[in-house]
């Protein structure tokens, strides 16, 4: 939106009125007049209200660069589970990597009992080192689906490359797009054409606007819905694996009314911080959590240090009593 001040209007008084309404503005000069550009992350205010401010001449609306994201319903359905600001927070949990059918059999039962709705686990793993475990691939997808079906759970799993998209779309209720791939627009397009809902992780150095635009790519190319996942951005501090950006969670949920899931496992990289970070996530407006859980974290093939034991997940859920999370 661009607000133009009257020739004889007081720009400072107009700016004060705009800021008081929760708008973030940038002052511009052009054509001998003062204008205020309203930043897209501002609170939603009707242009009629702004025209009524003393000293305002006109209000021109600028088109949003992500109209399909803006038009998403406030509650999204994924395989019958409701996700969004008016729904009960959702719980997605499971191991970082799918390791074996036995591993899943051991973990899926306690997860289902705790009220987890989505079983997570990677069949194709984006690892920083080419020598680290890369995932069991297609056979792991079948193990994941079988374990989920046995306990009536939904499946969320990552599609890492275009050649795996068909196989992943076949088993996943929700297709995960990993942080490293948020900017891979060709992959976003091939995943989106499957017409399934996607869980779009934020790139490690992506601005919120780039994240929203990646969501727009998915919706434009056919994704049924986009759920945004904050998993931490790169920071200067090695104390944690990443820096969970709760401001972005509040921005996307409060200003843009988007469903946002928080992944404190990859955010912190250490299990002792999962409970306080989960609490903070829900307080900031998250519509749910994505948590890594492993029955034997010390033997995990990836991300063991950040995995909760099922008993620790139970404890987290009970500490979040009243939030509606899981069986709390
Ligand atoms: C994961 O969920 O296991 C994963 C690899 O996440 P990210 O893309 O956020 O690093
Ligand atoms: Mn992981």
């Amino acid at each position: 939106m661009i607000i133009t001040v009257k020739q004889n209007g007081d720009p400072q008084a107009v700016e004060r009125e705009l800021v008081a309404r929760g708008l973030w503005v940038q002052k511009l000069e052009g054509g001998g007049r003062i204008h205020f550009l309203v930043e897209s992350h501002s609170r939603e205010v009707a242009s009629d209200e702004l025209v009524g401010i003393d000293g305002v001449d006109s209000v021109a609306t600028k088109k949003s660069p992500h109209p399909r994201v803006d038009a998403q319903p406030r509650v999204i359905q994924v395989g019958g589970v409701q996700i969004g600001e008016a729904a009960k927070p959702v719980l997605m949990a499971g191991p970082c990597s799918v390791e074996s059918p036995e591993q899943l059999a051991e973990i899926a039962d306690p997860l289902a009992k705790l009220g987890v709705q989505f079983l997570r686990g990677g069949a194709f793993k984006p690892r920083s080192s080419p020598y680290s475990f890369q995932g069991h691939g297609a056979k792991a997808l079948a193990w994941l689906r079988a374990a989920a079906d046995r306990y009536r759970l939904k499946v969320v799993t990552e599609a890492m490359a275009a050649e795996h998209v068909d196989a992943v779309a076949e088993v996943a209720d929700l297709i995960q797009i990993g942080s490293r791939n948020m900017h891979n627009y060709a992959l976003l397009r091939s995943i989106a054409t499957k017409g399934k809902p996607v869980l779009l992780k934020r790139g490690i150095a992506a601005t919120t606007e780039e994240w929203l635009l990646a969501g727009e790519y998915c919706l434009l190319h056919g994704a049924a819905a986009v759920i945004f996942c904050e998993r931490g951005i790169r920071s200067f501090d090695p104390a944690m694996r990443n820096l969970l950006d709760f401001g972005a969670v509040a921005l996307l949920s409060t200003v843009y009314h988007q469903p946002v899931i928080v992944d404190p496992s990859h955010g912190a990289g250490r299990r002792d911080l999962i409970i306080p970070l989960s609490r903070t996530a829900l307080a900031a407006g998250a519509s749910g959590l994505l948590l890594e859980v492993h029955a034997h974290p010390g033997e995990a093939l990836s991300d063991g240090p950040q995995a909760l034991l099922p008993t620790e997940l139970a404890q987290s859920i009970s500490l979040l009593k009243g939030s509606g999370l899981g069986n709390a």
Side-chain angles (χ1 to χ4, degrees):
M1 229 169 354
I2 296 174
I3 292 146
T4 302
V5 179
K6 281 183 178 153
Q7 202 74 268
N8 58 353
D10 175 357
Q12 279 174 339
V14 170
E15 185 172 8
R16 272 196 303 275
E17 289 290 333
L18 298 174
V19 171
R21 284 169 171 77
L23 302 181
W24 294 76
V25 294
Q26 211 188 107
K27 193 167 151 194
L28 310 169
E29 289 193 49
R33 304 285 287 272
I34 302 289
H35 315 268
F36 290 101
L37 171 71
V38 179
E39 303 279 5
S40 54
H41 53 268
S42 294
R43 215 186 118 228
E44 234 175 88
V45 178
S47 55
D48 288 358
E49 185 183 333
L50 302 178
V51 179
I53 295 173
D54 203 29
V56 168
D57 189 16
S58 62
V59 176
T61 45
K62 186 171 150 260
K63 263 179 75 185
S64 163
H66 37 71
R68 289 175 167 81
V69 169
D70 299 343
Q72 286 214 95
R74 295 201 178 181
V75 175
I76 282 160
Q77 302 269 352
V78 182
V81 178
Q82 298 198 327
I83 306 176
E85 64 182 347
K88 186 169 120 66
V90 73
L91 199 45
M92 305 179 181
C96 176
S97 300
V98 172
E99 297 168 9
S100 66
E102 296 72 30
Q103 172 216 30
L104 294 176
E106 192 174 0
I107 201 79
D109 178 38
L111 294 183
K113 289 194 175 114
L114 290 169
V116 166
Q117 292 103 327
F118 287 80
L119 180 62
R120 65 143 288 147
F124 302 98
K125 294 304 303 177
R127 305 305 302 281
S128 301
S129 165
Y131 304 112
S132 302
F133 175 60
Q134 306 284 306
H136 284 303
K139 63 181 189 249
L141 292 174
W143 302 338
L144 190 61
R145 185 74 257 174
D149 286 347
R150 178 143 180 234
Y151 295 97
R152 306 177 73 188
L153 295 164
K154 309 285 161 220
V155 164
V156 54
T157 193
E158 177 168 352
M160 216 181 75
E163 65 263 34
H164 306 140
V165 169
D166 285 345
V168 172
E170 200 68 6
V171 308
D173 297 287
L174 180 61
I175 303 179
Q176 182 171 321
I177 298 168
S179 186
R180 294 156 185 84
N181 275 319
M182 191 211 85
H183 288 289
N184 184 345
Y185 303 119
L187 181 65
L188 299 187
R189 212 169 38 233
S190 55
I191 291 175
T193 52
K194 294 286 146 194
K196 293 222 149 179
V198 300
L199 182 73
L200 179 62
K201 289 201 155 195
R202 181 180 182 183
I204 57 166
T207 64
T208 47
E209 193 67 5
E210 287 166 340
W211 194 16
L212 289 162
L213 286 168
E216 188 72 13
Y217 262 96
C218 296
L219 293 172
L220 175 65
H221 293 290
V226 175
I227 296 162
F228 293 87
C229 179
E230 167 61 41
R231 46 77 74 203
I233 48 175
R234 236 314 120 107
S235 92
F236 53 84
D237 186 355
M240 273 171 281
R241 188 169 174 183
N242 290 294
L243 177 72
L244 267 183
D245 182 359
F246 291 115
V249 175
L251 180 73
L252 260 68
S253 61
T254 308
V255 174
Y256 293 103
H257 305 289
Q258 297 301 312
V260 189
I261 300 293
V262 171
D263 169 359
S265 306
H266 292 88
R270 42 191 282 180
R271 77 173 63 82
D272 57 347
L273 297 178
I274 303 298
I275 294 178
L277 293 176
S278 297
R279 259 206 192 115
T280 312
L282 296 179
S287 296
L289 300 172
L290 178 75
L291 300 175
E292 286 190 344
V293 184
H294 199 288
H296 309 282
E299 292 160 27
L301 296 181
S302 58
D303 287 350
Q306 68 196 34
L308 294 175
L309 285 163
T311 49
E312 291 169 326
L313 178 64
Q315 193 193 352
S316 321
I317 292 173
S318 81
L319 283 168
L320 289 162
K321 221 178 183 63
S323 66
L325 193 72
N327 285 337

